Amino acid sequence: MKYIGILGGTFDPPHLGHLIIAEEVRVALKLDEVWFIPSQEPPHKKKAFIGATHRVEMVKRAIDSNPNFKLSTIEVDRLGKSFTFNTMKLLTKDNPNVVFHFIIGADMVEYLPNWKNIDELLNMVKFVGVKRQGYKLNSEYPIIEVDVPLIEISSTKIKERLTNNKSVRYRLPGSVEDYIKEKQLYEKRGCD
């Protein structure tokens, strides 16, 4: 059996908070790998600001230095809303010898009752909840709690800083920041 963590999101852009969460969960639960899955169109959020091609490339660069991190484009390859149930149905079918651990923030733990086919999904994955400021990890569903450092870095704040020409150093991996500058992403005049 292999033990795999799944970290999904828009990754618009991927930042150090994502990497810290993935590594802390991987180590705490002794996972073999953590797969980063950028979403095409998240059902609970506004559409990503930057197109999928750029977000996939940024994730590639962000995780490049960690051999235990992998990129899966399963959701961006499939058009439409990225429901976890659909993704996990495919992943569990294609990987019968894997126990999947789906990593979510405390904000998503509170939202679990609204997830598509949540009861069936619970048979496919173990949910791993990580703390997030302003939220509790209370749920009627079984959640494995993993303590991670509370680092207040968000993609939204990073986008605001980039749009206002402020430094994002030490919030993003250098390779991601370089890519953003090279492609002129998140500038006021628009993007992608």
Side-chain angles (χ1 to χ4, degrees), residues 3-4 19 28 41 68 72 74 78 102 119 134 159 182 185:
Y3 297 88
I4 303 292
L19 302 177
E41 195 180 323
N68 301 303
S72 169
I74 188 170
R78 192 177 67 229
F102 201 89
D119 294 324
K159 283 188 287 243
E182 174 191 326
L185 304 179

Side-chain angles (χ1 to χ4, degrees), residues 114-129:
N114 303 310
W115 282 34
K116 180 181 178 180
N117 301 82
I118 184 63
D119 294 324
E120 291 175 68
L121 190 54
L122 288 166
N123 294 321
M124 295 181 216
V125 300
K126 295 174 185 272
F127 279 101
V128 179

Side-chain angles (χ1 to χ4, degrees), residues 71-135:
L71 169 68
S72 169
T73 58
I74 188 170
E75 289 190 354
V76 296
D77 294 341
R78 192 177 67 229
L79 298 178
K81 296 234 181 251
S82 300
F83 288 103
T84 301
F85 174 75
N86 298 338
T87 301
M88 294 315 304
K89 198 169 163 184
L90 289 170
L91 287 178
T92 53
K93 181 176 166 258
D94 293 345
N95 302 278
N97 295 322
V98 170
V99 176
F100 287 104
H101 292 74
F102 201 89
I103 305 163
I104 55 176
D107 55 330
M108 284 291 105
V109 169
E110 290 182 8
Y111 194 74
L112 276 177
N114 303 310
W115 282 34
K116 180 181 178 180
N117 301 82
I118 184 63
D119 294 324
E120 291 175 68
L121 190 54
L122 288 166
N123 294 321
M124 295 181 216
V125 300
K126 295 174 185 272
F127 279 101
V128 179
V130 296
K131 290 181 183 162
R132 193 161 184 181
Q133 196 160 345
Y135 296 92

Side-chain angles (χ1 to χ4, degrees), residues 2-191:
K2 229 177 158 182
Y3 297 88
I4 303 292
I6 299 287
L7 186 61
T10 53
F11 299 112
D12 187 20
H15 53 71
L16 293 178
H18 295 128
L19 302 177
I20 290 167
I21 287 168
E23 183 65 3
E24 290 289 321
V25 170
R26 186 189 70 77
V27 170
L29 300 182
K30 298 176 176 59
L31 302 178
D32 296 297
E33 296 172 346
V34 175
W35 295 356
F36 286 68
I37 302 181
S39 60
Q40 177 66 266
E41 195 180 323
H44 62 282
K45 272 186 177 178
K46 288 188 286 183
K47 195 172 177 178
F49 190 69
I50 295 296
T53 305
H54 289 305
R55 292 183 292 111
V56 165
E57 184 58 34
M58 287 189 286
V59 170
K60 252 188 233 176
R61 289 169 183 243
I63 67 174
D64 186 49
S65 65
N66 189 328
N68 301 303
F69 290 172
K70 306 291 180 216
L71 169 68
S72 169
T73 58
I74 188 170
E75 289 190 354
V76 296
D77 294 341
R78 192 177 67 229
L79 298 178
K81 296 234 181 251
S82 300
F83 288 103
T84 301
F85 174 75
N86 298 338
T87 301
M88 294 315 304
K89 198 169 163 184
L90 289 170
L91 287 178
T92 53
K93 181 176 166 258
D94 293 345
N95 302 278
N97 295 322
V98 170
V99 176
F100 287 104
H101 292 74
F102 201 89
I103 305 163
I104 55 176
D107 55 330
M108 284 291 105
V109 169
E110 290 182 8
Y111 194 74
L112 276 177
N114 303 310
W115 282 34
K116 180 181 178 180
N117 301 82
I118 184 63
D119 294 324
E120 291 175 68
L121 190 54
L122 288 166
N123 294 321
M124 295 181 216
V125 300
K126 295 174 185 272
F127 279 101
V128 179
V130 296
K131 290 181 183 162
R132 193 161 184 181
Q133 196 160 345
Y135 296 92
K136 294 187 185 323
L137 284 172
N138 297 337
S139 178
E140 61 192 76
Y141 301 105
I143 304 290
I144 300 167
E145 288 185 37
V146 173
D147 282 327
V148 300
L150 279 177
I151 297 174
E152 285 304 306
I153 299 175
S154 78
S155 296
T156 301
K157 295 280 188 218
I158 289 170
K159 283 188 287 243
E160 285 173 15
R161 292 184 71 84
L162 288 164
T163 301
N164 293 310
N165 221 15
K166 291 184 176 179
S167 172
V168 291
R169 190 175 217 179
Y170 306 121
R171 290 172 173 82
L172 300 170
S175 58
V176 173
E177 186 177 359
D178 292 345
Y179 182 81
I180 288 169
K181 286 177 182 171
E182 174 191 326
K183 299 295 181 183
Q184 300 176 323
L185 304 179
Y186 306 105
E187 290 184 355
K188 276 188 182 175
R189 61 177 168 71
C191 50

